[in-house]
Amino acid sequence: MSGGLLVAGTTSDAGKSVVTAGICRWLVRRGVNVAPFKAQNMSLNSFVTREGAEIGRAQAMQAQAARVEPTALMNPVLLKPGSDRSSQVVLMGRAVGEMSARGYHGGRQEQLLSTVVDCLEQLRSTYDAVICEGAGSPAEINLRRTDIVNMGIARAARFPVVVVGDIDRGGVFASFFGTTALLAAADQELIAGYLVNKFRGDVSLLEPGLDMLLGLTGRPTYGVLPFAHGLGIDEEDGLRVSLRGTVRESVVAPPHGEDILRVAVCAVPLMSNFTDVDALAAEPGVVVRFVDRPEELTDADLVIVPGTRGTVKALAWLRERGLADALLRRAAEGRPVLGICGGYQILGEHIEDEVESRAGQVDALGLLPVRVRFDREKTLARPVGEALGAPVEGYEIHHGVADVRGGEPFLTDGQGQRLDGCRSGAVWGTHWHGSLESDVFRRRFLTEIARAAGRRFVPAPDTCFAALREEQLDLLGDLIEEHADTDALWRLIESGAPAGLPFIPPGAPGAPAAREAPHTTVPPKPLDPADPLEQPEQTQPLETAATKEAP
């Protein structure tokens, strides 16, 4: 078997990432050797694989759901937004340059199709099944010609497609129908059916609508997934998600000590890897909140300045908002502040940036004796060390190179030699993402914070973040097993989309009328030059990160 499935969505944030992870966990429980895949991802939350490649954090989470080691093959193209109009392009785990959205969709994206198809084929040769995740909506008709992540990859691989819709937003029936009806006939042949996500209430009230949808489209709904609280699964797109005022969901358990601990995370622009704080939110009695006003720091026991793809921009934002002054006051009063990656750089003395913002030398907040120079080569690493006498693991993703000129070592090699970061009074800083997932270190760090804050907070002695993450992934697998038609999903993965699926007019604008749908085991028909959506897609030879010129 070398089957597969593409999980598409009616919108961004419809639940594609969690459904893909849930299907992976369900399959691996059945003994299937399965891998996730997303051809192109746009995300500020990324991860470093064992081989030192940068991929979307959602794909790393899905690999964990599949119980396999994540690799660059699972996310060959990663776009890291630097603004509303441009992104850093990461190809096969390595940054190759910045590109505008117009430039990327104007030609470069098409050139990458052969790369992503090659990666998918390598996965298919290794695994029994590959579960692909789409991006946004497959019915973005303005971008279909250059699509490599939705119907472009589905058509290239002849994979069936299940479309996920978020019913909690409303309009899910119109979204399912409209998504299908705006696709060209050759794309519609692969749309096998639908999956309703985030349903609240009595499913029997929904069933008449599902029957009507089947009558309208000739396609079944493969399941209705209930709304599930507290999943805590890694979000994907830090540019799209607005976290202002959001409280990170915690485990439902009383504090272990007499007090709770309040953590405020500065919601800086282009915030990246904000999943760093999930391990704190997993601690009973720790409340994590994202803030953007100085008064919201007043009652916080710990303030975190997180990572960002725009360090200089985030620094200016902190100053404009009055948050910079609030941080300076906190430090003067001996109240805890932690900077992670870009946040660590912001807490230093100055930043020399000719790479990211090209602003030259900029004065930072001066809370740590650190000077930062941005290098064109990105540091990607999976370091291990020690802090507060406890083992620590993390991962590094940054252009900034820190020159530490004082303070106490923070992350060391266990012999007292500094590996990364520093501490000055109640201010800490490190480039290491994920360090708070190390349980013993996290507990000791929170004990220090509680002492400095004067709180009678005691970390729970048995919180294991890795075990909690496994429980969450098992919950996703349970959702699929209990609420989806797994027999039908298995048939799709094994045999492809059913033959003879009806065409739903009008189809893609400018596309020819419907044609008889071939069985999915038949090779794709020749490209029709008259169809604007059926131009040759593999127009360039395979490019690799080693040979590709930066955009």
Side-chain angles (χ1 to χ4, degrees):
M1 174 184 176
S2 180
L5 177 73
L6 176 76
V7 178
T10 56
T11 62
S12 294
D13 203 30
K16 298 182 293 293
S17 295
V18 295
V19 168
T20 300
I23 292 174
C24 286
R25 178 52 59 102
W26 158 62
L27 286 172
V28 78
R29 285 171 172 176
R30 289 186 57 153
V32 177
N33 189 19
V34 59
F37 177 77
K38 185 162 185 172
Q40 172 199 293
N41 198 346
M42 176 174 280
S43 180
L44 288 168
N45 287 332
S46 58
F47 183 76
V48 179
T49 66
R50 292 289 181 194
E51 74 266 32
E54 184 179 9
I55 66 172
R57 191 166 172 92
Q59 277 60 67
M61 176 269 292
Q62 291 161 357
Q64 186 177 350
R67 297 181 179 143
V68 296
E69 190 67 33
T71 73
L73 291 174
M74 297 173 184
N75 180 208
V77 182
L78 173 64
L79 305 179
K80 303 192 73 175
S83 70
D84 289 341
R85 297 190 177 185
S86 67
S87 295
Q88 182 181 71
V89 180
V90 179
L91 177 62
M92 295 303 296
R94 294 288 183 272
V96 295
E98 296 280 335
M99 177 164 275
S100 69
R102 180 177 293 276
Y104 184 70
H105 290 287
R108 179 68 67 163
Q109 189 178 30
E110 272 186 298
Q111 297 170 8
L112 297 176
L113 181 62
S114 57
T115 300
V116 301
V117 169
D118 181 68
C119 290
L120 177 56
E121 288 307 308
Q122 289 186 58
L123 291 174
R124 293 181 73 179
S125 68
T126 305
Y127 295 91
D128 298 330
V130 180
I131 307 303
C132 304
E133 179 188 346
S137 163
E140 292 168 351
I141 54 179
N142 55 316
L143 303 177
R144 174 60 186 94
R145 185 188 301 277
T146 58
D147 168 47
I148 63 171
V149 64
N150 290 305
M151 301 313 300
I153 194 70
R155 203 192 290 191
R158 303 305 297 169
F159 272 4
V161 179
V162 172
V163 181
V164 177
D166 179 358
I167 197 170
D168 197 49
R169 293 181 173 186
V172 73
F173 292 117
S175 297
F176 283 146
F177 183 86
T179 296
T180 309
L182 281 175
L183 297 177
D187 288 342
Q188 289 195 26
E189 292 166 2
L190 299 175
I191 302 295
Y194 313 106
L195 192 65
V196 176
N197 192 30
K198 299 183 183 178
F199 179 72
R200 306 172 192 250
D202 186 345
V203 175
S204 66
L205 298 176
L206 188 67
E207 288 172 349
L210 302 180
D211 292 339
M212 286 185 272
L213 182 67
L214 173 61
L216 287 167
T217 66
R219 292 161 172 86
T221 297
Y222 287 98
V224 178
L225 307 183
F227 194 103
H229 292 278
L231 289 177
I233 296 298
D234 300 343
E235 275 98 345
E236 183 170 90
D237 190 343
L239 185 67
R240 175 179 47 78
V241 176
S242 174
L243 290 171
R244 191 264 173 273
T246 298
V247 177
R248 210 68 171 154
E249 291 193 57
S250 303
V251 293
V252 182
H256 191 70
E258 297 181 40
D259 280 347
I260 65 170
L261 210 60
R262 298 171 176 85
V263 178
V265 184
C266 297
V268 298
L270 299 175
M271 181 165 44
S272 61
N273 287 69
F274 54 80
T275 49
D276 281 334
V277 303
D278 286 351
L280 296 180
E283 286 285 350
V286 176
V287 178
V288 178
R289 191 168 187 263
F290 292 85
V291 304
D292 62 2
R293 298 173 183 170
E295 57 268 25
E296 293 175 301
L297 305 188
T298 304
D299 67 346
D301 302 307
L302 169 66
V303 173
I304 295 179
V305 186
T308 172
R309 251 281 283 156
T311 303
V312 171
K313 181 184 291 186
L315 176 59
W317 180 87
L318 289 168
R319 286 181 168 135
E320 291 165 3
R321 289 272 181 166
L323 287 160
D325 288 338
L327 290 169
L328 293 172
R329 287 194 297 271
R330 283 188 65 90
E333 295 166 0
R335 303 179 66 199
V337 177
L338 171 65
I340 302 175
C341 200
Y344 169 40
Q345 298 164 6
I346 285 170
L347 299 180
E349 295 174 353
H350 70 244
I351 299 165
E352 184 180 338
D353 181 10
E354 299 292 349
V355 177
E356 194 174 76
S357 68
R358 300 180 183 176
Q361 185 164 310
V362 177
D363 288 335
L365 297 187
L367 297 179
L368 291 174
V370 177
R371 299 179 181 181
V372 176
R373 175 186 55 81
F374 273 56
D375 192 13
R376 294 195 178 278
E377 290 296 318
K378 185 184 290 189
T379 296
L380 298 171
R382 291 279 294 270
V384 295
E386 183 178 289
L388 302 179
V392 181
E393 296 184 19
Y395 57 99
E396 295 184 72
I397 306 170
H398 54 92
H399 285 280
V401 178
D403 177 12
V404 182
R405 302 192 169 199
E408 303 173 34
F410 187 16
L411 284 303
T412 71
D413 62 0
Q415 306 298 319
Q417 296 299 309
R418 188 193 312 272
L419 291 178
D420 181 79
C422 71
R423 174 184 181 179
S424 179
V427 180
W428 290 264
T430 176
H431 274 129
W432 290 17
H433 294 291
S435 59
L436 293 167
E437 296 179 16
S438 299
D439 296 326
V440 177
F441 163 67
R442 182 181 65 254
R443 287 194 279 271
R444 293 184 182 180
F445 179 71
L446 289 176
T447 299
E448 288 257 338
I449 298 302
R451 184 182 300 117
R455 296 284 185 189
R456 290 175 293 183
F457 168 85
V458 179
D462 55 355
T463 302
C464 175
F465 184 74
L468 289 173
R469 176 54 54 89
E470 276 297 302
E471 289 176 11
Q472 292 165 334
L473 294 173
D474 276 333
L475 176 58
L476 294 182
D478 293 343
L479 288 173
I480 296 299
E481 285 192 20
E482 295 170 11
H483 301 282
D485 185 346
T486 53
D487 289 340
L489 289 176
W490 178 256
R491 287 193 295 271
L492 288 179
I493 293 167
E494 193 173 34
S495 304
L501 291 169
F503 174 77
I504 309 301
R515 286 155 288 184
E516 184 178 350
H519 192 276
T520 53
T521 57
V522 177
K525 57 185 168 296
L527 296 171
D528 181 357
D531 185 343
L533 299 179
E534 292 196 358
Q535 298 303 312
E537 292 173 309
Q538 298 191 45
T539 58
Q540 297 291 330
L542 178 66
E543 295 178 301
T544 66
T547 59
K548 183 179 178 69
E549 293 182 4

